Amino acid sequence: MKVCIAEKPSVAKDIAEVIGAKQRKDGYYEGNGYQVTWTFGHFCTLKEPQDYTPEWKSWRLSALPMIPSNFGIKLIDNSGVQKQFGVIENLLKDCEEVINCGDAGQEGELIQRWVLHKAKCKAPVKRLWISSLTEQAIKDGFANLKDSSQFDNLYAAGSARAIGDWLLGINATRLFTTKFGNGKAVLSIGRVQTPTLAMLVQRQKEINAFKSADYWELKTLYREVEFTATIERIYNQERAQKGLEYLQANPIFTVTSFEKKEGKEGNPRLFDLTALQVEANKKYGFSAEITLKHVQNLYEKKFVTYPRVDTTYLSEDLHPKVEGILRSMQYYQALVAPLLLSPIPKLKTVFDNNKVSDHHAIIPTDVLPTGLIPDEKRVYDLIARRFIAVFYPECKISNTTVLGVVGKVEFKATGKQILEPGWREVYANEAKAKKTDEEKKEEDKDEKKEEEERVMPVFTVGESGPHTPRIHQGKTSPPKPYTEATLLRGMETAGKQVENEEMRDLLKENGIGRPSTRANIIETLIKRNYVEKKKKTLLATQMGIDLIDTIQNELLKSAELTGTWEKKLRQIEKGDYELETFKAELIQMVIDLTNEVKRNAYRQIAIAATPIPAPVEEEESAKKEAKPKKPKEPKEEINIEALTCPKCKEHLLKKGNSAYGCANFKVCGFKIPFEVLGKKLTDKHIYDLLSKGKTGKIKGLRIPGSEEETEGKLVMQADFNIGL
């Protein structure tokens, strides 16, 4: 038998159907010489600190840094995971070959390799590597299975990422929590999370420090075109008034230059994941996480190709298939028809093998989409129109610049006219999302401005005539706060604001995070109370600002420096950098950071209600010192959903219908019911269980089998169940 391991049951079902394994068994499908089984998310994880030595269980400053001599993995403590792993383990014992059908990316490779390693797999391993889940793609993939060794570097990069996140995340989080958390909160530090927060904090400080100032500009109307004086902005009203009087005293406007240049607006690029998230945020206000969810669903429904990509190009072997995909797009026939009148061009801006590694840009498949919810339709529409637009002609424009003079004051006006819309036709009748009144006003302003720019009469150099001057009063604007769209772009380019697509491609290697993880990083910052979201904007909270101010080590918070670590991870993936070298550098960094922070003076951080997941044990010497009593402070609101799951220590807690549970409950399995032993628990009870491991005395508890009420303390047991 050949054993295929897919990343989830639904994908296993699709694969089993195509290869003829149609007999359903407990935990797998069988038939035609194949057994098709599955994982669901991470089955294995790196061992926790206490798995290496019991001394590392407590959060103590003296125990840091924690650096295992060798990193080990363990099976996640979850009954569902353990049962399915048992199925996989048994299937692997007698198989002739394993086919890794995991998600075709770095994380997917890591998940499956860890499972094979844990199950002590001795059979040869092949790799199914496909970019869509259509029947034809699966058939082609099985006809061209690759040797697993081709993906050893991808696995090494995934391992390096996981080890790096463990070393820095666990050590730095415990370091800053024990030093500055004051026993009130976990101060979460991450290799990608912290520099992202630093970008937001820097922008917030610029906004806070900004002082708005009034300014005045001299403008004049000549032949119904408004011209603006080319002198510097005036910050004195009296001076502006004198300027107006001068213009009124010189009633003739003379044209000194008229320049009209024809140019082209290049077609937009195909979508990578970040570009799709940016566009969906701009157009529909979708968060990065929501967009990823929708495009992942579209991929699993076979309507679009693999979404977790960071390239905007297609491989050259896809060129012959493009016409078929375009013909299949029945809902876009009017837009596609002009393209099918002649052969599809093999454009270098679309097809380039040098710009494609594991996967190509996100495009539609030839499967006609059905049964989509409205928001999935919107995301599909973005992908479909972009795919069509790249093959349309370029947009031809005319840029006009007119210079004039009144007395000795020079004026300028510019205009833009679209001569041939080209690819813009694809978006001419685009379906619009429901927008707020504020967004509609902004859109109307933009349309009005664009209309004004287009209307520009022909001027002749030397012509002159009367004009109507005026003063325009305005206020200087602060820097704009980040939106998810601009933050994603900032993460992609390590904080540099870049509009040019070519330059952006060059900077991607040093971007922070991966396309598939950036959405989660943003959500984590919000859940940790480091960032708050107001409409579309993201603002750093006081807690976030204080945390960044406390971190003196530049490497932890610099997007550019962290980008160099990301580049090394990509080099490992390409085989240009050694995993062991990367580990050694990280270990040295953690040692240096620990020594530096231990020497730092205490700083006050504005703590939001995010209690620590386990008791933070102070240094022995600190325990012996008598501390003066502090006056009681007002009680802070307890936010259980801001706490980390005490079991997996990876995900936040989430409120359900009858219990608080791990946000990754299906894998982790941790929960605390709202009612225990007949008593409804308060948030304080739950907080005490999570932070202290036990509650205070509770009256009115009913032990099963006893009619009498009793009182006692609820305790969190070693297996994370609640005991009395």
Side-chain angles (χ1 to χ4, degrees):
M1 281 284 183
K2 294 181 179 180
V3 173
C4 305
I5 310 176
E7 78 253 24
K8 57 175 67 177
S10 61
V11 176
K13 187 179 179 183
D14 288 339
I15 290 171
E17 191 69 29
V18 172
I19 63 176
K22 299 187 179 183
Q23 191 178 355
R24 178 69 195 256
K25 302 275 188 175
D26 186 13
Y28 65 100
Y29 296 91
E30 187 173 287
N32 197 28
Y34 291 99
Q35 291 169 324
V36 184
T37 186
W38 57 84
T39 56
F40 35 86
H42 286 267
F43 269 24
C44 298
T45 182
L46 287 174
K47 287 181 177 178
E48 294 173 75
Q50 61 269 25
D51 296 323
Y52 295 104
T53 169
E55 292 171 11
W56 285 356
K57 185 173 183 179
S58 300
W59 288 45
R60 300 177 57 157
L61 201 57
S62 59
L64 302 175
M66 299 178 294
I67 300 169
S69 54
N70 285 297
F71 282 86
I73 58 169
K74 66 176 185 177
L75 203 60
I76 284 171
D77 185 15
N78 172 276
S79 57
V81 166
Q82 287 167 350
K83 182 186 175 187
Q84 186 61 18
F85 178 77
V87 171
I88 295 169
E89 201 172 25
N90 285 330
L91 294 177
L92 292 178
K93 281 177 184 174
D94 304 314
C95 72
E96 61 179 90
E97 184 178 86
V98 176
I99 301 171
N100 176 354
C101 304
D103 194 33
Q106 193 183 98
E107 190 178 14
E109 189 69 18
L110 187 71
I111 288 171
Q112 302 291 31
R113 291 275 190 125
W114 277 358
V115 166
L116 293 172
H117 179 72
K118 190 68 183 170
K120 297 183 173 64
C121 173
K122 291 186 173 61
V125 181
K126 295 286 186 184
R127 185 59 157 107
L128 175 71
W129 194 267
I130 52 179
S131 286
S132 77
L133 292 171
T134 62
E135 183 180 338
Q136 191 57 49
I138 293 170
K139 282 180 179 175
D140 291 346
F142 270 86
N144 296 282
L145 291 172
K146 301 176 186 297
D147 196 88
S148 181
S149 62
Q150 286 182 237
F151 301 92
D152 285 351
N153 289 333
L154 186 70
Y155 170 54
S159 296
R161 183 175 294 278
I163 289 168
D165 288 343
W166 192 103
L167 273 170
L168 193 59
I170 288 184
N171 277 291
T173 296
R174 290 196 179 194
L175 183 63
F176 280 84
T177 299
T178 52
K179 180 77 177 182
F180 305 114
N182 202 23
K184 289 184 179 179
V186 170
L187 298 179
S188 176
I189 307 288
R191 190 178 48 82
V192 178
Q193 172 188 310
T194 304
T196 304
L197 175 60
M199 286 166 59
L200 287 159
V201 168
Q202 178 61 31
R203 182 64 55 87
Q204 191 67 48
K205 285 183 172 182
E206 289 168 3
I207 293 168
N208 293 347
F210 181 81
K211 290 182 180 176
S212 184
D214 290 321
Y215 68 87
W216 291 264
E217 288 179 323
L218 297 177
K219 292 182 179 285
T220 194
L221 196 68
Y222 172 69
R223 284 183 57 187
E224 297 185 352
V225 174
E226 186 163 72
F227 289 76
T228 303
T230 58
I231 59 174
E232 289 183 5
R233 275 181 177 174
I234 303 166
Y235 291 94
N236 181 293
Q237 189 174 8
E238 194 177 322
R239 190 175 155 223
Q241 189 60 39
K242 282 182 180 176
L244 179 62
E245 289 167 6
Y246 175 81
L247 296 177
Q248 289 168 338
N250 289 272
I252 300 300
F253 180 98
T254 303
V255 175
T256 57
S257 172
F258 178 72
E259 195 175 56
K260 196 170 186 177
K261 283 185 180 176
E262 289 191 7
K264 292 177 180 178
E265 277 188 355
N267 299 51
R269 293 278 190 88
L270 289 171
F271 283 124
D272 60 10
L273 178 59
T274 302
L276 179 64
Q277 289 169 319
V278 167
E279 193 68 11
N281 183 255
K282 282 181 181 175
K283 217 155 227 175
Y284 304 124
F286 291 169
S287 71
E289 189 176 47
I290 288 295
T291 301
L292 177 56
K293 175 188 159 192
H294 291 324
V295 73
Q296 183 70 23
N297 287 343
L298 290 169
Y299 166 66
E300 289 175 17
K301 291 173 181 177
K302 308 178 181 62
F303 302 143
V304 302
T305 58
Y306 184 70
R308 296 164 187 261
V309 298
D310 61 357
T311 181
T312 57
Y313 290 86
L314 301 178
S315 52
E316 290 161 31
D317 62 355
L318 273 172
H319 179 255
K321 299 178 183 178
V322 167
E323 185 181 333
I325 297 171
L326 289 168
R327 287 189 186 281
S328 73
M329 298 173 73
Q330 293 178 22
Y331 302 133
Y332 299 88
Q333 276 185 338
L335 294 173
V336 168
L339 296 178
L340 300 176
L341 296 175
S342 53
I344 303 299
K346 197 171 184 179
L347 304 164
K348 195 66 178 171
T349 52
V350 178
F351 301 95
D352 190 342
N353 285 344
N354 295 325
K355 303 287 178 68
V356 178
S357 51
D358 301 328
H359 292 285
H360 55 70
I362 309 168
I363 61 172
T365 65
D366 58 4
V367 178
L368 192 68
T370 55
L372 300 183
I373 62 171
D375 285 350
E376 286 176 350
K377 279 184 184 175
R378 289 188 177 118
V379 173
Y380 180 83
D381 186 67
L382 289 175
I383 297 165
R385 286 180 188 271
R386 184 62 64 93
F387 181 61
I388 295 166
V390 298
F391 298 111
Y392 260 67
E394 289 180 309
C395 170
K396 290 185 180 177
I397 57 170
S398 171
N399 289 312
T400 307
T401 304
V402 187
L403 302 178
V405 67
V406 176
K408 292 182 179 179
V409 181
E410 293 181 344
F411 284 85
K412 181 180 179 180
T414 58
K416 174 178 152 184
Q417 190 176 2
I418 293 176
L419 304 175
E420 292 178 23
W423 61 266
R424 284 182 174 273
E425 284 184 28
V426 177
Y427 298 96
N429 299 310
E430 190 179 6
K432 290 182 180 178
K434 289 180 182 175
K435 291 184 170 65
T436 64
D437 290 340
E438 191 177 322
E439 285 173 323
K440 282 176 184 170
K441 281 179 191 172
E442 284 299 314
E443 196 174 78
D444 290 343
K445 272 187 204 171
D446 290 342
E447 285 177 5
K448 190 177 177 186
K449 185 180 176 185
E450 197 174 310
E451 193 61 40
E452 285 171 356
E453 283 181 342
R454 287 180 191 173
V455 180
M456 179 69 79
V458 175
F459 292 90
T460 307
V461 175
E463 72 169 83
S464 61
H467 66 103
T468 310
R470 72 178 184 92
I471 294 173
H472 165 75
Q473 183 179 352
K475 276 185 178 290
T476 53
S477 302
K480 288 184 178 178
Y482 278 109
T483 62
E484 284 205 34
T486 56
L487 183 60
L488 284 166
R489 281 298 189 206
M491 293 172 78
E492 184 183 55
T493 57
K496 291 181 173 66
Q497 297 302 308
V498 179
E499 293 301 321
N500 182 282
E501 289 285 357
E502 298 287 340
M503 185 58 69
R504 189 179 286 147
D505 277 346
L506 292 172
L507 290 170
K508 276 184 184 180
E509 279 227 332
N510 286 66
I512 56 174
R514 292 177 67 81
S516 54
T517 59
R518 288 175 189 142
N520 184 253
I521 292 293
I522 295 170
E523 291 299 319
T524 299
L525 289 172
I526 293 168
K527 286 171 184 171
R528 294 283 185 199
N529 293 321
Y530 297 155
V531 173
E532 62 178 334
K533 192 172 182 178
K534 288 188 176 177
K535 293 183 180 176
K536 276 189 177 183
T537 60
L538 298 169
L539 306 171
T541 62
Q542 191 58 49
M543 184 180 179
I545 293 169
D546 288 350
L547 177 59
I548 292 300
D549 286 347
T550 301
I551 299 169
Q552 302 300 307
N553 188 291
E554 278 303 309
L555 190 58
L556 270 186
K557 59 184 181 179
S558 163
E560 203 163 339
L561 290 173
T562 304
T564 63
W565 291 96
E566 284 290 343
K567 186 176 182 180
K568 286 174 181 177
L569 286 166
R570 287 173 174 82
Q571 287 175 326
I572 292 170
E573 195 171 313
K574 292 173 184 174
D576 298 334
Y577 206 77
E578 290 296 322
L579 167 60
E580 291 306 316
T581 307
F582 181 80
K583 271 170 60 178
E585 289 172 344
L586 263 175
I587 287 167
Q588 190 57 52
M589 178 192 160
V590 168
I591 291 169
D592 293 344
L593 175 69
T594 305
N595 293 335
E596 180 186 313
V597 173
K598 281 183 175 180
R599 290 193 300 266
N600 280 356
Y602 176 78
R603 290 175 68 108
Q604 185 68 38
I605 293 181
I607 304 291
T610 54
I612 56 177
V616 175
E617 295 189 21
E618 300 172 66
E619 296 279 43
E620 290 300 317
S621 57
K623 283 183 182 177
K624 292 173 186 175
E625 292 175 17
K627 294 184 180 178
K629 288 185 179 179
K630 291 182 182 177
K632 285 188 178 179
E633 295 178 2
K635 285 184 180 177
E636 290 183 287
E637 185 183 340
I638 295 170
N639 180 8
I640 302 296
E641 290 184 277
L643 306 185
T644 305
C645 170
K647 188 174 180 183
C648 70
K649 296 183 176 63
E650 289 182 12
H651 298 273
L652 297 174
L653 295 177
K654 192 173 182 181
K655 190 173 185 178
N657 294 328
S658 60
Y660 281 106
C662 179
N664 195 26
F665 179 76
K666 286 184 180 177
V667 174
C668 172
F670 175 77
K671 69 175 181 179
I672 294 183
F674 295 154
E675 190 173 296
V676 177
L677 299 178
K679 187 76 176 178
K680 190 173 180 182
L681 302 184
T682 64
D683 280 354
K684 177 72 167 65
H685 291 144
I686 293 170
Y687 162 63
D688 286 346
L689 277 168
L690 292 163
S691 62
K692 301 174 184 175
K694 62 183 177 181
T695 66
K697 278 190 180 178
I698 301 175
K699 293 180 179 179
L701 298 170
R702 288 183 178 273
I703 298 170
S706 171
E707 292 183 6
E708 292 183 10
E709 291 184 350
T710 187
E711 72 172 53
K713 297 178 181 181
L714 297 178
V715 294
M716 180 81 73
Q717 296 174 329
D719 59 0
F720 296 101
N721 287 317
I722 308 300
L724 181 64

